[in-house]
Structures are given as C-alpha cells and as structure tokens.
Amino acid sequence: MNANRKISFIAILYAILIVYAIATFLPFAWALSASFKPLSEIIAGGLNLIPQNFTLENYQKIFLEEPLFGRWLFNSVVVASTVTIFNLLFNSMAGYALARIPFKGNQILFFCILAVLMVPAQVTLIPSFLILKSLGWLNSYQGLIVPNIVNATFIFMMRQFFVNFPKELEEAAALDGLGYLETFFQIVLPLARPALAAQTIFIFLGSWNNFLMPLMIVSTSEMFTLPLGLNTFKGQYISYWNYIMAASMVFTLPALLIYAFFNRYFIQGVTFTGNK
C-alpha cells in the first residue's frame, strides 16, 4: 500500500514538473520562432511555433544594418566578464578573510555585510549616480564596472563556504611555510571551484541582464549594453518585434553557454561545503 502511494506521489510530482516545464519553455519557443518571422506575421496574431514565411532577414538586419549592435554586444561582454572576474577575486578574498583570519573587528565587519544585504539595490541608485558624477565616470566603462566589482551576498556565500573548508589542508600549508596569501591562492582557491562556479553563474547573469544601472549612467548609444540596445527597437508608434526577438536570441545565447559550462558545479556550489 505504501509503495502504491509512493508511486502515485512520484507520478503526480512528475506531472506537475512536466506541466511547469512546458509552461516555462513555450514563451521561449515562441520567441525563437518569432525571430525567423517577418513583422507582418507576428502582429497578425496566433501562437503558431512554425514560421509560415521563414526568413533570416531579422538576423541580417541586426548584424549587418544596425551599425551599433556589434558595439552593444561588445560592451555587454566586456562589462559582464570584467565584473564577474573582479567579483570572483574580491568576494573570495573577503570571504576567506572573514572565515579564517582573526583580526580586530572581524565580527563587526561581518555584521555590517549582513546589514548591507537588507538594503534594496534601488535605494543606492541615486547615491551611486552622484558619486559617479563627482568622479566623472558617467557614460564610461569604469562607471558600469567599478560599482559592481564586489557583492555582499557572495562575500557572505564565500565566507560560509570557507567556514566549512577543512582546516587540515591549511595547517599542512602552514607547516610548509606558506602564509595566508600563498595558502589562499595555491591551496584554497583551486578547491573552491564549486562555489566559484555558482558565483560565476549568478554574477554574470546579473550583470548581463542589468538594465536599470546602465540606463541611469549611460547617455550615448555607443555605450549602450545589449539590454538598452534592445529597447531601441521599440518606438512610440510601432515596435519591431521581429528584430527584438532576433536580438533577444543572440542576447540569450551567452547566458545559456555560461550556465551549460558551469552547470556541473552549480549544485555543489550552492551547498556551501568544502569537504571535497
């Protein structure tokens, strides 16, 4: 009887997951299909996933006739990659210091970081804008990158990871004469790949999809990132949904590649364990 109940529960669970997967995938499938349709077919309505008038003109338009699309793609790649690299370094170093290095004010600093987690990002937008303006960093790469090179959430995450990291490895490194810095880069960081992979996914996607911060500090179309560039295909009287869908597919591809590459480390990373 218990076995039958277990089978029924699993069947219901899988049915719910299948329905959820279909409901999640359908909008993406429609967007992919629409990227190969002319505008007239899209605005005609209907949910057909197979284009009646298949065309590559939308992709040709955004790559060959939109002179700034390549620049927008370049800007997004530079900003997201640089932000991710700096976050991996600084968040990991800060987390390791909080977890392993005894210094005066360690706990106070840790509680301050926890307090930062409670502040909504929107609250800091205006102060960030005023600071960037005073530095002359508006409409620049440093203005897009520097305010995002550390993240309190992932400092906390890395601190929790290093708290559970085996001390025996660090003690063995100390016996070999390694200091904190050498131990961190030679022993600890290479073994923190699961946490770093999870951090990479979240930070890259967050920076890649960021719309509000670039909108606030960027004033020329040459400095647009892809989210801002996509918005230019929407007009007051007409929106070119065919171009928007094609650009959206290009915009989605790097995020899918990042997730696919780091997926095997993802679950390990969010468990915050260093026992491996």
Side-chain angles (χ1 to χ4, degrees), residues 93-109 159 167 170 180:
M93 293 179 71
Y96 182 72
L98 290 171
R100 284 292 196 260
I101 302 177
F103 59 90
K104 189 175 181 180
N106 184 305
Q107 289 300 312
I108 295 175
L109 181 59
R159 187 257 185 192
K167 290 186 177 180
E170 296 168 274
Y180 283 120

Side-chain angles (χ1 to χ4, degrees), residues 32-51:
L32 178 61
S33 173
S35 70
F36 296 104
K37 296 178 181 179
L39 180 61
S40 57
E41 185 177 341
I42 296 176
I43 62 178
L47 296 176
N48 54 308
L49 297 180
I50 300 177

Side-chain angles (χ1 to χ4, degrees), residues 28-264:
F28 177 79
W30 184 90
L32 178 61
S33 173
S35 70
F36 296 104
K37 296 178 181 179
L39 180 61
S40 57
E41 185 177 341
I42 296 176
I43 62 178
L47 296 176
N48 54 308
L49 297 180
I50 300 177
Q52 298 177 359
N53 301 291
F54 185 89
T55 179
L56 294 175
E57 182 183 350
N58 301 328
Y59 289 94
Q60 294 173 353
K61 166 70 178 180
I62 62 173
F63 279 111
L64 301 179
E65 298 182 33
E66 175 50 68
L68 291 177
F69 186 80
R71 178 63 184 268
W72 299 338
L73 181 61
F74 173 79
N75 291 344
S76 287
V77 170
V78 168
V79 172
S81 300
T82 307
V83 166
T84 302
I85 291 171
F86 276 113
N87 268 274
L88 291 176
L89 177 62
F90 293 150
N91 296 343
S92 301
M93 293 179 71
Y96 182 72
L98 290 171
R100 284 292 196 260
I101 302 177
F103 59 90
K104 189 175 181 180
N106 184 305
Q107 289 300 312
I108 295 175
L109 181 59
F110 177 60
F111 288 129
C112 288
I113 292 173
L114 292 181
V116 170
L117 296 179
M118 304 176 191
V119 180
Q122 293 80 359
V123 173
T124 62
L125 282 176
I126 294 177
S128 297
F129 175 84
L130 295 176
I131 292 173
L132 293 174
K133 182 180 179 180
S134 65
L135 293 173
W137 286 2
L138 294 180
N139 199 46
S140 65
Y141 285 114
Q142 59 265 37
L144 291 170
I145 293 171
V146 173
N148 302 306
I149 60 175
V150 292
N151 187 295
T153 300
F154 294 103
I155 291 176
F156 172 75
M157 169 185 140
M158 296 307 296
R159 187 257 185 192
Q160 296 305 104
F161 180 91
F162 291 129
V163 162
N164 296 316
F165 194 86
K167 290 186 177 180
E168 293 81 4
L169 296 175
E170 296 168 274
E171 292 170 353
L175 290 175
D176 289 337
L178 299 182
Y180 283 120
L181 200 60
E182 293 87 354
T183 299
F184 175 76
F185 282 107
Q186 297 180 28
I187 306 297
V188 176
L189 201 60
L191 295 176
R193 285 177 295 180
L196 294 176
Q199 193 179 169
T200 298
I201 293 173
F202 287 121
I203 292 173
F204 183 88
L205 294 183
S207 179
W208 184 259
N209 294 321
N210 194 1
F211 178 81
L212 186 57
M213 188 71 175
L215 177 65
M216 183 181 68
I217 68 174
V218 172
S219 57
T220 61
S221 55
E222 289 79 8
M223 287 300 301
F224 281 3
T225 54
L226 268 179
L228 292 182
L230 289 178
N231 200 49
T232 63
F233 292 117
K234 295 176 62 178
Q236 182 177 0
Y237 301 105
I238 184 173
S239 295
Y240 295 96
W241 293 109
N242 50 335
Y243 302 146
I244 292 174
M245 293 300 105
S248 296
M249 292 301 103
V250 176
F251 178 70
T252 304
L253 184 60
L256 292 177
L257 293 176
I258 286 289
Y259 182 80
F261 184 78
F262 290 102
N263 181 50
R264 61 178 177 151

